[in-house]
């Protein structure tokens, strides 16, 4: 049976550098029946443009806070790329002060209008914005940890690309799990678990790991002030949306790495491979973090402190806002 278009997807931040190509890729999905595009500006033109593509989904545009609730009514998957991108010299922390508030406001609207939806967080720093979203949903009494995801798919996409390139493998066959978080040293590609099985020298492991961790900066520098990774991010996010839609549609063989509430480690949120189903995360795949190489074991211990600090920072942000209110 070919998939039938039956799911409603909202992109919050659809006018931006990631939002536009992401919306185009989602418009191409045969599983989408309605595509709601929201932004604070410039979204009318994006929607008009996309609406001419002859794929099944009906495109609608929503501008500004007053139209946000309408954008979210009855939506199955909400994708949030809203916020400001990284510029040269900016750390993901510099983004925090701006993007934390944006994510908080958008997720409050999700809680009020489509509390059952899958929520995909792209806005950086993901290590902090996912805990922010969780706290907001908890306060609204609608938090379902199985349906909140930090989109780390780009780390996997990059790992697959770089490994295939270095080892001269067919890209379609390569699968590298990436665990931890979604910034710098918290990104840990498990090269020892690469499929197909392939051996790396210590030097290759070091070089590949560092390249995967710093790939975002590679693009920021290459764009020289004109933005950050938008096209590859849109591609990776669209893959995660498609996987979520397949899971919602009853496909029982959908696995992706994502940053989710997790008990794999002592940290409350952690990225690893998960099995997706109709209700969100069906299982966190623990066997991949067993039997790590010595390099990976050390890197895993080393990333925990930074990841914990980012999680705590997100939670503290929502607590502070609540007290202020």
């Amino acid at each position: 049976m070919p998939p039938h278009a039956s799911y409603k997807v909202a992109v919050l931040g659809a006018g931006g550098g990631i939002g536009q190509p992401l919306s185009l890729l989602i418009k191409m999905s045969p599983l989408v029946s309605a595509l709601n595009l929201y932004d604070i500006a410039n979204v009318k033109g994006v929607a008009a443009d996309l609406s001419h593509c002859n794929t099944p989904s009906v495109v609608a545009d929503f501008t500004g806070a007053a139209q946000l609730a309408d954008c979210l009514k009855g939506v199955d998957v909400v994708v949030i790329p809203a916020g400001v991108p990284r510029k040269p010299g900016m750390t993901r922390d510099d983004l925090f002060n701006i993007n934390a508030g944006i994510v908080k406001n958008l997720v409050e609207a999700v809680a009020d209008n489509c509390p059952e939806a899958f929520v995909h967080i792209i806005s950086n720093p993901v290590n902090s914005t996912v805990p922010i979203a969780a706290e907001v949903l908890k306060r609204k009494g609608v938090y379902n940890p199985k349906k909140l995801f930090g989109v780390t798919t780009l780390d996997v996409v990059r790992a697959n690309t770089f490994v295939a390139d270095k080892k001269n493998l067919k890209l379609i066959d390569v699968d590298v799990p990436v665990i931890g978080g979604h910034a710098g040293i918290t990104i840990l590609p498990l090269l020892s678990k690469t499929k197909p099985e392939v051996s790396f020298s210590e030097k290759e492991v070091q070089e590949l790991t560092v390249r995967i961790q710093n790939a975002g900066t590679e693009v920021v520098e290459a764009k020289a002030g004109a933005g950050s990774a938008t096209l590859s991010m849109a591609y990776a996010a669209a893959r995660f949306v498609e996987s979520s839609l397949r899971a919602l549609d009853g496909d029982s063989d959908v696995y992706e790495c994502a940053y989710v509430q997790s008990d794999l480690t002592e940290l409350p949120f952690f990225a690893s491979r998960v099995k997706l189903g109709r209700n969100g995360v069906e299982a966190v795949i623990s066997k991949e973090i067993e039997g790590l190489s010595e390099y990976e074991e050390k890197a895993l211990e080393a990333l925990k402190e930074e990841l914990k600090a980012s999680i705590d920072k997100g939670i503290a942000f929502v607590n502070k806002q609540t007290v202020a209110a």
Side-chain angles (χ1 to χ4, degrees), residues 4-323:
H4 52 284
S6 58
Y7 297 100
K8 199 167 175 179
V9 177
V11 179
L12 309 184
I18 296 167
Q20 290 196 36
L22 174 56
S23 299
L24 170 62
L25 293 167
I26 296 171
K27 177 77 175 99
M28 291 167 69
S29 170
L31 286 167
V32 179
S33 58
L35 179 57
N36 287 0
L37 306 183
Y38 171 84
D39 214 320
I40 51 172
N42 302 332
V43 77
K44 232 174 197 28
V46 175
D49 198 352
L50 276 185
S51 70
H52 295 179
C53 299
N54 62 331
T55 60
S57 50
V58 176
V59 180
D61 62 274
F62 303 84
T63 303
Q67 295 185 4
L68 181 54
D70 287 341
C71 174
L72 292 168
K73 293 269 190 298
V75 163
D76 300 294
V77 178
V78 180
V79 194
I80 308 185
V84 296
R86 270 169 80 196
K87 296 190 172 65
M90 258 178 122
T91 64
R92 279 190 166 86
D93 252 7
D94 296 332
L95 296 180
F96 180 89
N97 300 322
I98 304 165
N99 290 355
I102 293 171
V103 169
K104 177 178 173 285
N105 292 340
L106 293 174
V107 174
E108 282 172 350
V110 169
D112 292 340
N113 295 287
C114 54
E116 295 292 308
F118 283 26
V119 182
H120 295 183
I121 306 281
I122 297 170
S123 313
N124 271 315
V126 165
N127 290 354
S128 301
T129 53
V130 171
I132 286 171
E135 288 300 308
V136 168
L137 293 166
K138 280 178 197 168
R139 282 176 165 66
K140 293 274 191 181
V142 294
Y143 179 49
N144 181 348
K146 293 181 164 55
K147 292 187 174 184
L148 176 64
F149 307 90
V151 180
T152 61
T153 322
L154 182 51
D155 299 323
V156 177
V157 163
R158 285 166 167 160
N160 292 352
T161 302
F162 301 163
V163 165
D165 193 35
K166 197 163 205 57
K167 288 296 187 181
N168 215 5
L169 298 166
K170 248 182 45 220
L171 244 174
I172 193 134
D173 299 330
V174 179
D175 185 24
V176 183
V178 182
I179 65 165
H182 183 60
I185 67 155
T186 69
I187 299 167
L188 178 55
L190 299 181
L191 295 167
S192 72
K193 308 281 185 177
T194 299
K195 291 191 176 79
E197 272 187 46
V198 55
S199 62
F200 300 95
S201 68
E202 276 181 37
K203 183 169 181 280
E204 285 175 325
V205 168
Q206 172 73 30
E207 283 174 359
L208 279 166
T209 300
V210 169
R211 186 171 179 213
I212 291 159
Q213 289 172 339
N214 294 333
T217 307
E218 194 178 298
V219 176
V220 168
E221 286 170 357
K223 289 193 175 181
S228 57
T230 53
L231 301 172
S232 52
M233 183 62 242
Y235 166 82
R239 166 176 146 171
F240 193 69
V241 168
E242 193 68 13
S243 291
S244 295
L245 295 172
R246 279 174 37 225
L248 281 167
D249 209 42
D251 187 331
S252 60
D253 188 32
V254 183
Y255 294 85
E256 288 282 3
C257 290
Y259 180 63
V260 295
Q261 183 176 311
S262 171
D263 52 15
L264 272 192
T265 68
E266 61 277 20
L267 301 171
F269 294 90
F270 195 78
S272 66
R273 200 187 300 275
V274 297
K275 183 179 198 292
L276 297 175
R278 281 204 165 103
N279 299 311
V281 176
E282 273 189 7
V284 172
I285 311 302
S286 57
K287 68 175 190 294
E288 275 181 339
I289 72 160
E290 293 160 11
L292 300 182
S293 72
E294 191 187 345
Y295 179 91
E296 290 162 353
E297 285 284 4
K298 281 189 178 144
L300 175 57
E301 285 314 307
L303 71 81
K304 285 178 180 175
E305 189 181 349
E306 184 181 319
L307 186 50
K308 181 179 188 304
S310 298
I311 293 167
D312 291 346
K313 186 172 180 175
I315 294 168
F317 173 80
V318 181
N319 290 338
K320 200 165 73 200
Q321 300 281 314
T322 312
V323 170

